[in-house]
Amino acid sequence: MTETELQHSEQIRKVFFVSDRTGLTAESYGKCLLAQFPDLEFETITLAFVDTPEKALQAREKINETSLESNLKPVVFSTLVHDDEQYIIESANACVISLFHSYIGSLESFFGVESSHKQGVSRIAFSDTTYQRRLDAIDFALSHDDGVRPDHYNDADVILAGVSRCGKTPTSLYLAMNFSLKVANYPLTPEDLSSDELPQCLLDNIDKLVGLTIKPVPLSRIRRQRRPGSEYASLEICQAELTQAQAMFDKAGIAVFETTDTSIEEISSRVVRALGLGRERVRESVLMFNKSIKAR
């Protein structure tokens, strides 16, 4: 690592998401808060299934090791329910924010009753059909990532297109996990960009197609992390690819969303609305919620 790279790495603050389950809730809330500090850089680490004091001690040790290795004290977002585990995490050498305890006390006072303090109660009891649909959507997104199996695009609910490293894969997975949508994504290669029109496999499914773009400088920075010093990561190549991709999107007349300063959650919501899927998915979510309430 060069001196410049070392200095840059020292300016990146480590952020831990600690949870007694998958960590998705801690990640979602934590990243929303971090997004309010666009001039700072963060590296995130998820410590999931921290559901015993022993695992909490291991998590604290990892956090403390990171604190010793860096000039910047790490930040910890925790959704741990049980006090024993939470107290251990709070003793770490870090800024610890409990996303659970910050609100539960106020709600207990307001309702006049104590909470159950049960782990995992945020999970909704989905029907077998709904659960299977979500699994199928995730499997579809994984098996149709990065331009794989374009002959199956007629089975997709959404197709995302864009140049390499503009945010297609994370958006695909978020749409699959949170909206149960079958999403394929297609990277526009230099060969594709030598044409004036989008590839035929995309044009054949234009009613499902959305373009993603990004600003040239951040794209160059992202690509340098993957291939330092390459032509692929040069600012000139990034600019040229983005310009040509936008021209192709404009000619096809599809919706295009920029990912530079936009969260995956917001991009996904825009995609759903652009394709007219929003009302259906909201109605489905309400029905699922009502069914889970009646089952309790």
Side-chain angles (χ1 to χ4, degrees):
M1 181 180 293
T2 66
E3 183 176 349
T4 300
E5 291 173 331
L6 180 61
Q7 291 175 347
H8 179 257
S9 66
E10 291 175 348
Q11 300 303 311
I12 301 176
R13 191 182 298 272
K14 300 291 180 63
V15 178
F16 288 87
F17 302 117
V18 182
S19 170
D20 49 34
R21 286 297 182 265
T22 62
L24 291 176
T25 301
E27 290 178 9
S28 178
Y29 280 98
K31 288 180 179 179
C32 284
L33 293 173
L34 295 177
Q36 301 304 312
F37 303 90
D39 295 331
L40 301 180
E41 289 193 61
F42 304 100
E43 179 182 336
T44 61
I45 303 162
T46 299
L47 303 178
F49 299 102
V50 181
D51 51 7
T52 66
E54 292 74 23
K55 292 180 181 178
L57 288 169
Q58 294 173 3
R60 183 182 66 181
E61 182 178 356
K62 184 173 181 61
I63 295 167
N64 287 341
E65 287 176 355
T66 300
S67 182
L68 290 173
E69 295 170 355
S70 174
N71 294 327
L72 301 175
K73 183 177 290 188
V75 176
V76 178
F77 292 102
S78 168
T79 53
L80 296 180
V81 173
H82 291 162
D83 291 339
D84 291 345
E85 288 85 354
Q86 179 60 26
Y87 290 153
I88 292 172
I89 296 300
E90 288 181 353
S91 66
N93 185 28
C95 172
V96 181
I97 300 171
S98 172
L99 298 172
F100 179 83
H101 291 82
S102 296
Y103 304 107
I104 200 68
S106 298
L107 288 173
E108 285 177 335
S109 298
F110 179 77
F111 293 138
V113 296
E114 292 187 359
S115 63
S116 65
H117 279 62
K118 291 182 180 179
Q119 296 173 334
V121 292
S122 62
R123 294 175 295 173
I124 296 174
F126 300 120
S127 68
D128 290 342
T129 302
T130 301
Y131 181 69
Q132 187 59 51
R133 183 162 58 247
R134 177 169 296 187
L135 291 181
D136 290 343
I138 294 171
D139 179 67
F140 188 92
L142 291 172
S143 60
H144 294 78
D145 181 46
D146 208 28
V148 175
R149 302 169 75 180
D151 54 317
H152 289 186
Y153 280 4
N154 60 310
D155 295 326
D157 296 310
V158 180
I159 303 171
L160 303 177
V163 302
S164 174
R165 314 305 290 180
C166 70
K168 298 182 299 299
T169 296
T171 305
S172 297
L173 290 173
Y174 188 90
L175 285 166
M177 293 177 66
N178 292 276
F179 292 91
S180 299
L181 291 169
K182 293 182 177 181
V183 187
N185 73 77
Y186 186 95
L188 294 172
T189 65
E191 292 75 16
D192 294 325
L193 294 168
S194 64
S195 172
D196 292 332
E197 292 190 340
L198 292 168
Q200 194 61 45
C201 63
L202 300 181
L203 295 176
D204 288 342
N205 296 277
I206 199 166
D207 57 321
K208 309 171 182 179
L209 185 61
V210 172
L212 295 185
T213 189
I214 187 173
K215 291 179 180 177
V217 173
L219 176 60
S220 177
R221 182 170 63 246
I222 293 169
R223 288 183 173 186
R224 283 201 305 270
Q225 294 175 353
R226 188 177 187 185
R227 299 183 194 171
S230 65
E231 184 180 12
Y232 160 82
S234 70
L235 185 58
E236 293 77 14
I237 291 296
C238 291
Q239 178 68 73
E241 289 188 6
L242 290 167
T243 299
Q244 180 59 17
Q246 185 63 52
M248 297 166 80
F249 294 151
D250 291 343
K251 185 172 183 179
I254 64 171
V256 182
F257 301 111
E258 186 177 308
T259 64
T260 308
D261 299 312
T262 311
S263 68
I264 293 175
E265 294 86 351
E266 185 173 347
I267 295 168
S268 299
S269 295
R270 291 179 180 179
V271 169
V272 169
R273 289 196 299 270
L275 296 179
L277 299 171
R279 185 175 300 173
E280 175 187 345
R281 296 299 165 175
V282 169
R283 181 169 64 249
E284 178 182 291
S285 297
V286 170
L287 291 173
M288 287 161 47
F289 179 76
N290 289 339
K291 185 173 182 178
S292 69
I293 293 298
K294 292 178 181 178
R296 292 178 182 178

